[in-house]
Amino acid sequence: MAELTLTHESLARAREVVRPHVAPTATLRWPLLEQALGTRLWVKHENHNPTGAFKVRGGLTFMAHHREEGPGGGVISASRGNHSQSLAFAGAAAGVPVTIVVPEGNSPDKNAATEAFGARLVVHGADFQEALEHAGVLAEAEGLTPVPPIHPWLVEGVATYAAELHEAVPDLDVVYVPVGMGSGICANILVRDLLGRRTEIVGVVAENAPAYALSFEAGEPVPTDTADTFVDGVACRTPDPLAVDTICRGAARIVRVGEQQAAAAMALHYRSTHNLPEPAGSLALAAALGERDRLAGKRVAVVQTGGNADFEVLRRVFGG
């Protein structure tokens, strides 16, 4: 099995590709969050990106490679939302047709945004895994290039935010990163290693979608039968082998966050920063708060991976 890798040259190229479309995002300290955590805390605000989430960076680098080195033509992928908007945005910028398969009952707001960015939307399957399998069928039938959830070209782009974080805050002790399919945590591990830092990279999953936590503990991919969580950005039940390999070699641990913890962190994040966090964007903060005792005196960062929260989800969380 190949490994995910990152070099100074590939990172520099990714930054050149991303820069015209995505300005460096803010890395900020918020006094109320630091009071709650009891130590110095920085928030990496990837919710400020053009699609409202970090994944747009990976979409841009994938499309650049696809046009220069790939087969060309249209691409297809499956997504619950942020990955789909990323590819739709990047495809429009590069002139590449994009098809996205989403499961039934997917976020209507994210579906609408994906189409607004220019992608063709196909609804199929009961969950992400079934949507992903159908995307493979359509790729073969229509001659489209499949874009997997984890790919070296995607991770290169995502690595640009991790590089920005370490430049803004040298000598971080711990970074908490939500884990959906794994591009974010893998990028953080690769950048940490490339820069020679000693920062702990801690992955965070939803308690009801523990596939990556189970995989980390087993040292190999461990699928689950369900991923029943309102935190749709991390609702994975079939981990990617490349991501699992990188995480097992480079993460300090994987923390599980309960539904109520995630909702409480969303509310705290909004009250403290007036930045709207999507459910997955709350997980890093929730995990850090759960490990408050072990973080005393440390320099901590959490990644607010995005701000694409459905209105109905916000009403339930903030109303509760």
Side-chain angles (χ1 to χ4, degrees), residues 128-189:
F128 170 76
Q129 188 60 33
E130 290 188 6
L132 180 64
E133 292 165 3
H134 187 64
V137 172
L138 289 180
E140 186 172 348
E142 300 182 8
L144 302 173
T145 298
V147 184
I150 296 293
H151 190 284
W153 296 349
L154 293 172
V155 175
E156 279 181 14
V158 176
T160 61
Y161 93 66
E164 291 173 11
L165 174 60
H166 283 283
E167 289 169 358
V169 192
D171 303 322
L172 282 167
D173 293 304
V174 189
V175 177
Y176 287 88
V177 188
V179 181
M181 286 303 296
S183 63
I185 187 171
C186 289
N188 275 274
I189 290 168

Side-chain angles (χ1 to χ4, degrees), residues 57-110:
R57 299 170 180 267
L60 289 164
T61 49
F62 187 95
M63 289 300 178
H65 281 289
H66 175 69
R67 290 190 65 188
E68 296 170 12
E69 307 163 37
V75 304
I76 186 169
S77 193
S79 172
R80 295 295 302 266
N82 287 340
H83 178 59
S84 65
Q85 292 177 68
S86 160
L87 292 178
F89 178 93
V96 176
V98 174
T99 297
I100 298 294
V101 184
V102 300
E104 297 168 5
N106 195 53
S107 159
D109 293 351
K110 290 180 181 177

Side-chain angles (χ1 to χ4, degrees), residues 79-266:
S79 172
R80 295 295 302 266
N82 287 340
H83 178 59
S84 65
Q85 292 177 68
S86 160
L87 292 178
F89 178 93
V96 176
V98 174
T99 297
I100 298 294
V101 184
V102 300
E104 297 168 5
N106 195 53
S107 159
D109 293 351
K110 290 180 181 177
N111 287 354
T114 299
E115 291 185 299
F117 280 122
R120 173 176 67 129
L121 195 76
V122 176
V123 180
H124 182 92
D127 60 13
F128 170 76
Q129 188 60 33
E130 290 188 6
L132 180 64
E133 292 165 3
H134 187 64
V137 172
L138 289 180
E140 186 172 348
E142 300 182 8
L144 302 173
T145 298
V147 184
I150 296 293
H151 190 284
W153 296 349
L154 293 172
V155 175
E156 279 181 14
V158 176
T160 61
Y161 93 66
E164 291 173 11
L165 174 60
H166 283 283
E167 289 169 358
V169 192
D171 303 322
L172 282 167
D173 293 304
V174 189
V175 177
Y176 287 88
V177 188
V179 181
M181 286 303 296
S183 63
I185 187 171
C186 289
N188 275 274
I189 290 168
L190 294 176
V191 169
R192 186 269 316 272
D193 293 348
L194 182 68
L195 299 179
R197 303 293 168 85
R198 305 176 111 186
T199 311
E200 282 189 341
I201 307 297
V202 180
V204 191
V205 300
E207 196 171 69
N208 290 352
Y212 270 98
L214 295 170
S215 299
F216 181 77
E217 292 159 7
E220 61 183 13
V222 177
T224 57
D225 292 331
T226 61
D228 185 16
T229 174
F230 88 99
V231 189
D232 56 346
V234 300
C236 163
R237 63 179 176 89
T238 305
D240 182 272
L242 268 179
V244 170
D245 176 65
T246 302
I247 293 167
C248 287
R249 289 187 289 108
R253 57 191 174 277
I254 304 290
V255 177
R256 306 183 199 200
V257 169
E259 303 289 287
Q260 290 184 341
Q261 286 177 280
M266 282 182 70

Side-chain angles (χ1 to χ4, degrees), residues 36-61:
L37 191 63
T39 192
R40 290 165 293 178
L41 174 69
W42 286 263
V43 179
K44 180 59 170 166
H45 282 287
E46 287 297 288
N47 57 305
H48 292 174
N49 283 329
T51 62
F54 76 97
K55 289 192 176 182
V56 66
R57 299 170 180 267
L60 289 164
T61 49

